Every structure is written in C-alpha cells, then in structure tokens.
Amino acid sequence: MSTHSALYDPRRWWADLVGVWQDTRLIVVTAQIAAIYAAILIPFKAGIPIIPGFVELRPANAIPIVASLLFGPAAAWGAGIGNIIGDCFGTLGPASAFGFLGNFLFGYLPYLMWGNLGLLSSGQPPTVKSWRQGFEYGLICVVASGACAGTIGWGVELLGLLPFIVLAPAIFFNNIVMGLFLGPPLLRFLYPRVKRWQLLYDDIVPSFSAVKRLDHSFATSSLKNDSYHPSDAHASLSLLACRDISFSYSTQTRPGLQNISFSIAPGEFVMLLGRSGSGKSSLCYACNGLIPHMIPGTFSGEILVCGEDTRAMPVWKRAGRVGLVFQDFESQLIGTTVGAELRHPLEYRETPLTFHEIEGRMAHALGSVGLDVDLDRDPMKMSGGQRQRLVMASVLVQEPKLLLLDEPSSDLDPASRSQLRQTLRQLGVEGMSLLMTEQDHDDLPFANRVIVLDEGQLVWEGPPDTLLRDPPMMRQQGIRPLALTECFEDLACDSLPITVEEAWICAEDLHLMIEPPAVVLDDTVRLGKQASWAETPTNPIIQIDGACFQYEDQLVLQNLNCAISRGEFVALLGANGSGKSTLARLLNGLLSPTQGRIVIDGFDTRTTSMNELAKHIGLVFQNPDHQIFADTVWEEVAFGAKNLGYSPEEISARVRQSLESVGLSVEKSSALDPFSLRKGERQRVAVASILATRPGVLIFDEPTTGLDAPETERMMTMIRELHRQGHTIVMITHSMRLVAEYAQRCLLMEKGKIVADGLPRDIFHDTALVRAASLEIPPISLFCQRWGHTLLTVNEVKASLKIQV
C-alpha cells in the first residue's frame, strides 16, 4: 500500500468515503466484505441477546482491520453494514447504530494510518513479515480497536444500557486478541494475491495526489501545444480524435501506448492491426474511457469523442455514445437470459425508453448480428459464436455513435463473419464510426483505412489494399499475408493479387496453369511423409455409435456415428451452434450422451470415471482461462497428475516433460503466475496440464482464437509435433486455412449431424457442400479449381504452377 498524503484533509476523507459508491468495483468489494463479516458474526450473535461485542470472543473481528489494509474505505462501509446485518440475527436495537459507527471506524482507521505514522511506519506494504511491519500493525490495531470500543461503549452508556467501564474493555480485548492473532497470517496470505489481481484500493482508485495531477493535466492539456486546439477543423470534423496518447500500466515497465495520434470521421470504418501486445486493446480502452478512469496507470494526451474529452465524463455516462465489445466478450455477459442481457443497458438510461422502444431496439440489434434465438434462452447454453453475437447486440442496442470492436469475429464461423461485415457496412452508412481490431485479415478489404501498431506505437497507416499487396511489411508487423498473394510473391507480377479474380488475371498474363505433381496430390508436400488416415489400423481409439445429446428440450446432437483411428489428425468443422464443442465434451466425459454410446480406447464414457478417462483423452478449452486456476505454472501442470495419485517423483518428471513439450521454461514455472502470461502462453500451460496425464487423444477447441500470426504458427507447430509423437489429434476450428495445412481428415457437422467425412482435399472440392454448412472454401483452393484441381497450401500451388506450352 502506498503512503497516503493529506491524512488530516477532511476533503480527502469525504472523497474517499463517497467515492466508494461511485465505482462499481468498490461497491462489489463493499458487499463482499459485508457478507463475509456478517456470515462470521451471525453464529455468535444468534440467540445471544447481549450488547454487540460483549462476552463472545468473535474471530470475525479480524476482518475489518485486514480488509481496511487491502480495500481502504470499502472496508469501513463493509464492516459497518456487515455488523448491522449480524445484529439482525439476535442483537438488533438502538445500540446497533453505535455498533455501525464503531465498526466503521475499525474498518477505516487502519487504511488512514498505515504508512502515515512518521518514524514509526515501516515503509513497506502490510504483509506483516518483518518486525517493523509487525510493530506498525500492532500499533494500528491498538488504536483502531480502541476507537471502535470507545465509540460503542460511549453510545451504549448514553442509551443507559451498560456502563462504559464494563463494555469498552470487553470490546477492546476482543478486537485486540482477534486482530493480533488472525490478522497477520490473513494479510500474509491475502495481500500478494489481491495485489496480483490488482484489487487493492490503490490499484482500483488513484491516490489523492494522483487525482490532483490528473485534474491539473486535464485543465492544462490544451496549453501544451499552441498548434492544436479541440476547435481545430480536423478535430471538429472527426467523431473520434486522438492526439499524442500515451499510457503506462501501473504493473508494467514498458508503455502500453506511445504518442499515438489519429482521427476517425463519422461513418468511417478503421481497422486496427498489430501483433499481440502491440497496444490494440489498450487503445480501445482509452477511446472508451476505461483508461484512465478504471484501469490504473499513467495517462497523457487527449481523446475527444463527439467533441468531448473522455476524462470529463465517467464511463457509464459515455456508454450511449461509445460501445465496446471486449476481446474476452464473455466477461460482458451478465444476464441469465438473452432478453435480460439486451434489456439491462436500456433500463438504466438517464432518459427512459418506452416498452415498445425497448422491444424495437432489441429486435433490431438481434437482426443486425443475425442471431435468431428465443429471448428466454440461457446464454451459457449457446455456442461461443452465438454468445459473441449476443454481446455485440447488447452494445448495438444502445445505438452508440462510436463502436469499438476488439477482435469481434474471433469466434464466428465464415457465414457469421459475412453477416458481421454486412452489419458493419450498414452501420457505417447510418453514420456510426467503427474502430475494429483483428488478428486475421479476412475483413480488411471492407475497411476504409488501416492503422498498424507495434510496441504501443503507430507504425503504419493507409488504405487496406496497399498493405495487403506488401507481404514483407505484413510479416514484419506480425500479420499473416494473404495465402493467394504469397503464391505470386516470387513471380514477375506488376501488382500482387489480393482476390481470386486478380489471381486468375495475373496467371493469364504470366501464361501460368495448375498442374500438380504426385507429391502434391498424395499430401507429401502438405503433410510430409506420414501415413494417410485411410491406411491406419482399423482398431479405433474413438468409437461413436448413435450418440445423441440434448439440453432439456433442445436437441443438440443427432445420431452420430463415427470412428477415429489411433494417430489420426482430425479437423471437426461446422457453423456456430452445429454441436462441435458439445461433441468434444461428450468425448472427454464432461457430458454423457442421452442416447447411444461413446467408447474411448475401450472405455465407455457413460460408465467410466473422469479420472480414468483423463488418462486416455484430454480437452483443451477454447478459452484457457476456463481451465487454469492455480497460482503457479508448475502447480497448474502438476494438478492432473497429482489428482491421479502419482508419486511426487513421477509428478515432477511428468511436469518437466510436459513443459518442455510445449516450449515453456521449467526453471521459471515454480514462480510464474499463469494469469500473467499472454493468451497463447496460457493455452500452452493448459496443453501442458493435459499432457501431464499422458492421454492418447488430445482435443483442441479453437486453439488459435485470439492469437496473432507468430503465436498461431507456434501453437500449430506444437500440435503437429504432438501428433508426430503419436497423439491422436481432434481439432475444432473455423479456420479453413488451418484445416488445409494440418489436418489429415475432416468431419463436417451441420445442425447436430455429421454430413461429410473425408480428406480435406475432397471436402474442399465440394463447394456446395461446404457453403451449405455455413463455411467458405479458401481463396487459394477456389483459384486452383479453375484448372480442375483443389490445392490447399501455398507450397502446393508453387509446386504446381507451370508455364503453358
């Protein structure tokens, strides 16, 4: 905890205490403290009609002081309210008012005093590990306990219930004993975790002096450079205007954003590209006002939305003008039904809407994103892509002027992406400005302008086709070039093609044709020298016989029949909601078929324990954060093997081998927090935790979602190496490119059924079949089909290009 200035300034006290009720995070913390405090108090209050704090020795009395040193003023309100709740179970009366005030002080004074005791302060956070910390904690505990006891004792004597000399010492002794006995171990355990999660009061709310600096910076920002003013023509014509934006997170040494300036006109669609960690999400947060209002750090520069500085208005008031869809879109879901999710942002508007206006906006928003579902549907029973579209609809329902989309198509199938493009195009026509980040470039041709970030700096800005025709530039910035463009990169083209039609014209100009050799058609160029799935042994490791599954009255999977041989690499394809992820959960035993059976390596999933199945099949979730929970990488990877009962020596060996297999440091794993890693690294941790149980089958659910081009390459290289080591791979993906480059076999699903099963080349050749399943043939394959062949990769095309004789 940082040293608090202005200790005796009443304005600071008032700002602290009132500010708790102006920040949603602090309100939640207050409620949690009150609930925990009350829950521990109630057993000691129920049935004991004694003045609060008298006679019973309550362990709950360590909570206010510990919470105060972690959460500041929120602890004061939480302790006071929690004591009132506890009183409702046996001791509620006039004295409860003084109980509230005494506990309020007990939860507020430690926050004010820590670090403000002059020479008596330790100058360290309140972890109570050194003797100086212990002395400071003990002194604060005595003062806070005395203030609590004195307030309650004086109030109770004033009411004529009990003499001060009797009650006050009892309360003081109670607080001191519990505070000194339980407080230090609780702080040693909780402080580093709360600090890591950035939930300390100083992490949530800037210090008093920092707020004053921010106010001064805002007041003088327009005077820093006489050449720019908000009234400039450029700013006045822009819906969004950013100038010299810089931001450094409080937990990082390298700036997240550095001197970024750009603007967006009404109706303009700007695409934001760059490798992971380049600052794309940070820029979205700044344009939305989350930076600097809610994300701690150092901010400078100016952002104007509709002519108003984002620092001049809280985030919630700006929601009707600026809409933001997070990269982690599931964190935005709060409703238990689709209807509740859409109504929530409309029910708290400053200007209320009528019932018919709300219903009209909901219908329009759902239609815009192509989501046709029952309003009573539980979002958690929808597919990931459907949930992502629901979040977008919940933002569009507010009709913002500026829409910020942080990788909105990451979980969408090709048909849904096409629907999204149409929606964005229409929103632009209606005058809405769009700023969208992406890792892929499928939507790039539809943007008006592209901005590329690298290490927090703007490194390139221009029209989309200029970037797409420059593969070296794209690779340099961690962006994957178009496969079709790469095919012609080494040829004498006047302009590299970016569409199938342009590629055909380029081929004609160069007198080229497609004539694949045998090493292309037998997949040697694509996959190397490995056996085709059709030649593998007939004894399957996965057998699915008539499997069906339904959630209550919704049938998700219908009569699935399939066998997967040991050592195959199978891609599971299909539109959002086709049943792919549900099938994955059936395979690893998280769900059981409502009809039929699934057998994994001879074990029926209906009758086999999860522990036993974990030895044979492992599932890596689409979102690694749904799997990871341990404090360190080592503990996370070791959990599965430890749960299976292996010896410490065997567990250690398995953890080391698993970490090495996914390319993570064994030496750093014991001290490394998995949640501090980037998404690609967290996915590797999740894979390693599965590998430690040494299953024969590995299922990857959308393993490259949210990864940039280099991270995708590393992830797929790792999966291919695991396959070569003998693992059977089942990969769920929307990326036809990944299927084309890595899969031996495809299972195509549509509406809960397997509608096609075969080689990728054969599946891709049937254009009508693929499009009927709401997927798209890769442009590189469409290009080659003009000559009657379906090729899958850049290397295949380069090996097959011939000069016409």
Side-chain angles (χ1 to χ4, degrees), residues 7 54 79 100 136 163 185 195 220 297 320 385 422 447 550 641 643 663 699 755 787:
L7 176 62
F54 188 50
F100 171 86
E136 184 176 10
K195 178 67 175 176
T220 60
Q422 295 176 17
Q550 66 180 50
N643 201 40
I699 306 174
V755 296
W787 291 273

Side-chain angles (χ1 to χ4, degrees), residues 749-787:
M749 296 189 67
E750 184 181 3
K751 296 179 180 179
K753 299 179 181 179
I754 296 177
V755 296
D757 180 355
L759 297 169
R761 199 180 309 281
D762 296 336
I763 299 292
F764 285 20
H765 187 73
D766 193 340
T767 306
L769 173 68
V770 173
R771 288 177 176 167
S774 299
L775 301 176
E776 293 179 352
I777 302 295
I780 195 171
S781 298
L782 289 175
F783 164 74
C784 298
Q785 286 178 358
R786 180 171 182 175
W787 291 273

Side-chain angles (χ1 to χ4, degrees), residues 532-545 562-568 599 601 745:
S532 169
W533 71 273
E535 300 168 355
T536 54
T538 57
N539 182 30
I541 193 170
I542 298 175
Q543 182 71 49
I544 305 173
D545 295 324
C562 176
I564 297 177
S565 298
R566 195 178 305 274
E568 284 193 71
V599 179
D601 207 8
R745 175 185 173 194

Side-chain angles (χ1 to χ4, degrees), residues 240-248 255-262 279 282-287 291-292 298-304 309-311 453 456-458:
L240 170 69
C242 299
R243 175 180 178 270
D244 293 333
I245 299 303
S246 295
F247 181 73
S248 296
L257 299 172
Q258 302 183 58
N259 303 317
I260 293 178
S261 298
F262 70 98
S282 298
L283 187 55
C284 289
Y285 299 156
C287 294
I291 290 176
T298 303
F299 176 85
S300 65
E302 186 175 53
I303 300 179
L304 302 177
D309 195 297
T310 55
R311 291 172 294 182
L453 300 182
Q457 299 180 347
L458 196 159

Side-chain angles (χ1 to χ4, degrees), residues 717-729:
T717 299
M718 180 195 70
I719 293 176
R720 174 173 276 177
E721 182 57 32
L722 292 172
H723 176 237
R724 288 174 176 168
Q725 292 173 7
H727 292 279
T728 302
I729 304 294

Side-chain angles (χ1 to χ4, degrees), residues 113 132 181 274 457:
M113 296 177 65
R132 286 183 60 84
F181 179 69
Q457 299 180 347

Side-chain angles (χ1 to χ4, degrees), residues 246-292:
S246 295
F247 181 73
S248 296
Y249 289 92
S250 60
T251 57
Q252 298 178 4
T253 56
R254 183 173 63 85
L257 299 172
Q258 302 183 58
N259 303 317
I260 293 178
S261 298
F262 70 98
S263 63
I264 300 179
E268 189 178 14
F269 180 9
V270 176
M271 186 78 78
L272 198 58
L273 299 179
R275 70 183 85 245
S276 295
S278 62
K280 302 188 300 297
S281 295
S282 298
L283 187 55
C284 289
Y285 299 156
C287 294
N288 173 255
L290 290 173
I291 290 176

